[in-house]
Amino acid sequence: MKSVKWILALSLVFVFTAQIFAVEDCSSCPNVKAGGCGMTTEVASKEIVNIVTLPGYGKKVIIDKNTFFTYSFTDKVKMGANTLKINISSNDKKPDTSYQVLVSYDMPSMKGMHAQNNVPMQLNKKGSYLLPLNFVMPGEWQVELQFMLDKKTISKGSFKLKI
């Protein structure tokens, strides 16, 4: 009798787990491969944007088919306050100030200890996006940039630097 109860209990757990992770037909999802994407309906409904590793300072990085950006620091990077600068331009090299840029940064070796998450960059009069980043100790830091347009994430990128 005891083993029947265990089998029944395990069966119920399996049924409820299967319902929680039920997969819906997501044929309209752009990430679907032949035969379905295998995501749960909750995950499939969320926006998926890959984080790309960014090239070095001053190099052109594509945001979308019409827009690119470059990034750099205004001075040599050191411990303490450093100003990150991003210039977003259309393909005809005119400044594009329609984006919201959010910055997150932390030390990968001490995840969460010095984290700053989703801090919005500010536009200056020249159309550059600026944000002071405070590197509080020496070591490797990772900076993640998120480019948003009309409250949707268009692109994400990250780079690492050593202080």
Side-chain angles (χ1 to χ4, degrees), residues 142-158:
Q142 182 167 356
V143 179
E144 184 180 301
L145 308 175
Q146 179 177 352
F147 296 86
M148 299 181 72
L149 195 58
D150 299 325
K151 298 183 181 181
K152 284 187 167 182
T153 300
I154 304 300
S155 180
K156 285 184 176 184
S158 73

Side-chain angles (χ1 to χ4, degrees), residues 4 11 20 26-27 32 35 38 51 63 67 72-73 86-87 90 103 109-110 123 138 149 163:
V4 172
S11 298
I20 290 170
C26 303
S27 57
V32 172
I51 301 172
I63 295 176
T67 317
S72 62
F73 285 92
I86 294 179
N87 290 313
S90 59
V103 177
S109 64
M110 301 176 75
L123 275 167
L149 195 58
I163 303 296

Side-chain angles (χ1 to χ4, degrees), residues 84 86 99-105 116-123 129-133 144-146 148:
L84 178 64
I86 294 179
Y99 285 84
Q100 178 183 21
V101 182
L102 302 176
V103 177
S104 299
Y105 64 101
Q116 295 293 317
N117 294 311
N118 298 324
V119 181
M121 295 190 84
Q122 302 298 312
L123 275 167
Y129 292 81
L130 300 171
L131 182 69
L133 306 182
E144 184 180 301
L145 308 175
Q146 179 177 352
M148 299 181 72

